[in-house]
């Protein structure tokens, strides 16, 4: 397995991977499919990017992980905090992809002087909660009843990793 920074050439495979996760439902806050332009803007080339890593095997993207400076005025974070999003393809779960991605991510965020990483995860995303806890993230807040696109309220668990 190779872990390296994502490039524009990875956008198509990243879209396929994320759209499969979205279609499966329940493990991402994303509800609408991505295309290559949206992937570029949201994860690969946005101005706030600290790190966007892909894990690949035999030229196939198995997962990717993004860390960026927060940009939402509706959810301000303290100075030095960044946000993380992690995605592993359904066929690659349980193969250590997430751990390999986080090793590369940690090096990049330390170099960028990130003090804390926030992971905000749907409360019904048991694998995601387990993944971040296993990396050493700890709960620090809970957002209650955040509505999905169809109005269904779902809590979000906020976890943090301190450097």
């Amino acid at each position: 397995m190779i872990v390296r920074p994502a490039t524009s050439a990875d956008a198509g495979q990243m879209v396929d991977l994320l759209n499969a996760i979205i279609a499966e439902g329940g493990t991402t806050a994303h509800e609408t499919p991505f295309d290559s332009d949206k992937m570029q803007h949201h994860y690969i080339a946005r101005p706030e990017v600290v790190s966007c890593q892909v894990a690949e095997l035999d030229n196939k993207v198995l997962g990717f992980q993004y860390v960026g400076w927060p940009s939402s005025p509706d959810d301000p974070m303290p100075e030095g905090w960044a946000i993380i999003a992690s995605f592993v393809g359904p066929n690659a779960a349980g193969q250590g992809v997430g751990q390999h991605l986080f090793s590369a991510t940690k090096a990049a965020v330390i170099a960028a002087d990130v003090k804390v990483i926030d992971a905000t995860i749907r409360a019904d995303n048991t694998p995601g909660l387990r993944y971040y806890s296993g990396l050493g993230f700890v709960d620090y807040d809970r957002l209650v009843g955040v509505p999905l696109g169809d109005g269904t309220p779902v809590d979000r668990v906020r976890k943090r990793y301190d450097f």
Side-chain angles (χ1 to χ4, degrees), residues 27-60:
T27 62
T28 179
H30 294 298
E31 297 181 75
T32 56
F34 274 58
D35 60 23
S36 288
D37 287 340
K38 186 175 178 182
M39 182 61 68
Q40 287 281 358
H41 175 74
H42 202 81
Y43 287 118
I44 299 171
R46 73 184 299 157
E48 299 85 8
V49 70
V50 171
S51 173
C52 186
Q53 303 286 329
V54 295
E56 68 176 5
L57 183 63
D58 298 328
N59 296 315
K60 179 167 175 51

Side-chain angles (χ1 to χ4, degrees), residues 25-141:
T27 62
T28 179
H30 294 298
E31 297 181 75
T32 56
F34 274 58
D35 60 23
S36 288
D37 287 340
K38 186 175 178 182
M39 182 61 68
Q40 287 281 358
H41 175 74
H42 202 81
Y43 287 118
I44 299 171
R46 73 184 299 157
E48 299 85 8
V49 70
V50 171
S51 173
C52 186
Q53 303 286 329
V54 295
E56 68 176 5
L57 183 63
D58 298 328
N59 296 315
K60 179 167 175 51
V61 172
L62 304 176
F64 67 96
Q65 188 166 70
Y66 166 86
V67 173
W69 300 112
S71 61
S72 173
D74 297 330
D75 190 15
M77 299 260 169
E79 185 72 26
W81 283 50
I83 57 173
I84 191 168
S86 305
F87 306 96
V88 174
N91 295 332
Q95 298 178 23
V97 175
Q99 286 78 11
H100 288 292
L101 284 166
F102 194 61
S103 291
T105 293
K106 278 176 44 176
V109 299
I110 289 168
D113 202 27
V114 171
K115 302 297 184 211
V116 178
I117 301 174
D118 166 90
T120 300
I121 308 135
R122 286 174 51 157
D124 59 350
N125 179 356
T126 303
L129 294 168
R130 186 173 41 248
Y131 167 69
Y132 285 109
S133 292
L135 294 175
F137 282 73
V138 295
D139 293 9
Y140 76 94
D141 196 8

